[in-house]
Amino acid sequence: MKKLLQSSMLVILSICCVFFCGCAKETDLYSLGLQMTTTMEEIVKNDFYSKYCGSSYVSEERNQLIANDYDTPTKVYGITMFTDAEALFLKFGTITEKEWNELPNSVKEQILNNMTMSRLVTDINAENGSNIFALTNSYIITKQFEGYSIKNECYYLYVFETGKPIIVTFSPSHNGIKAIAQFLITEKVYSLSALRELFGDYDCQVSVIFS
């Protein structure tokens, strides 16, 4: 019975991967994301890494990130961005469309390169103060997973019973998938409606992957 339930879960997760990310083949993004969250647990608990990345001076805030485990999420959400980078910048930037059109293409390119989910999460974390902003920026990890394929960038948000939420960005890359993981510090992760309100301003859709 247990094996049957595990098999059913894998099938459901594979279908979700296809729906959210336009996978060229079945990829278990859920499991790849868990590899990222367990790595986050290792680095946040490692004193040498924390000293190396300059986060040891905010030890009180660091203790808030340390939890019993980051490998057993209570919920996992899929997030889809519908607005392109230019439209998103014009929505929140202090610039008119006319002023935007007058900017050199090189300047616009660099601005749009920063209009990412990672930037969005960083802005949310910054609302918690400079220490949290600096701390969460210290714990951003990347990893390349070869042998997997997706067509479009997509995002999984892992919520834990004791640990802080972690959002994983999956991007298509040469011969595989590039994953970026970072902490998301907000209380609006414990209900679907609150998450939809949080990300709705950025024209993102939030759905349940695992609960």
Side-chain angles (χ1 to χ4, degrees):
M1 182 66 179
K2 185 177 180 180
K3 289 184 177 180
L4 178 60
L5 288 174
Q6 290 175 338
S7 298
S8 299
M9 179 58 70
L10 288 174
V11 171
I12 292 172
L13 289 172
S14 296
I15 293 172
C16 288
C17 288
V18 173
F19 178 77
F20 281 105
C21 304
C23 295
K25 64 179 182 178
E26 290 188 0
T27 60
D28 195 350
L29 296 185
Y30 176 86
S31 295
L32 298 182
L34 283 182
Q35 291 184 45
M36 299 295 287
T37 64
T38 53
T39 300
M40 290 282 275
E41 177 181 13
E42 291 174 359
I43 67 170
V44 78
K45 290 183 177 181
N46 187 280
D47 291 335
F48 174 80
Y49 185 92
S50 296
K51 182 179 180 180
Y52 168 77
C53 69
S55 61
S56 57
Y57 74 97
V58 284
S59 57
E60 182 178 344
E61 286 81 3
R62 178 188 166 206
N63 287 335
Q64 296 178 28
L65 301 181
I66 297 175
N68 292 327
D69 71 83
Y70 279 98
D71 59 4
T72 309
T74 56
K75 292 183 179 179
V76 181
Y77 299 95
I79 303 174
T80 305
M81 292 185 71
F82 291 103
T83 301
D84 62 38
E86 182 175 331
L88 191 60
F89 177 77
L90 289 174
K91 182 176 181 179
F92 294 99
T94 56
I95 188 173
T96 66
E97 186 171 356
K98 181 178 182 297
E99 291 171 330
W100 170 260
N101 291 332
E102 292 173 350
L103 289 175
N105 289 334
S106 58
V107 174
K108 290 194 284 188
E109 179 184 12
Q110 295 307 311
I111 291 174
L112 296 181
N113 285 344
N114 287 321
M115 296 304 295
T116 62
M117 176 61 72
S118 181
R119 171 64 183 272
L120 188 158
V121 172
T122 298
D123 288 347
I124 295 173
N125 290 338
E127 296 176 0
N128 295 277
S130 58
N131 279 357
I132 291 294
F133 173 78
L135 184 65
T136 52
N137 281 351
S138 298
Y139 296 114
I140 298 177
I141 63 170
T142 62
K143 188 171 183 177
Q144 174 78 12
F145 294 101
E146 296 186 357
Y148 297 89
S149 175
I150 56 174
K151 293 180 180 178
N152 304 302
E153 189 169 270
C154 59
Y155 322 94
Y156 275 26
L157 175 63
Y158 293 78
V159 180
F160 305 91
E161 184 176 356
T162 55
K164 295 299 182 182
I166 295 174
I167 190 163
V168 181
T169 297
F170 299 100
S171 303
S173 66
H174 183 63
N175 291 332
I177 294 173
K178 179 182 178 181
I180 302 174
Q182 61 190 129
F183 286 105
L184 173 65
I185 309 301
T186 176
E187 295 300 320
K188 296 182 178 181
V189 296
Y190 299 103
S191 73
L192 181 58
S193 60
L195 269 177
R196 284 176 170 168
E197 179 182 354
L198 176 65
F199 287 99
D201 288 339
Y202 301 92
D203 294 327
C204 294
Q205 177 178 311
V206 182
S207 300
V208 178
I209 295 293
F210 170 79
S211 178

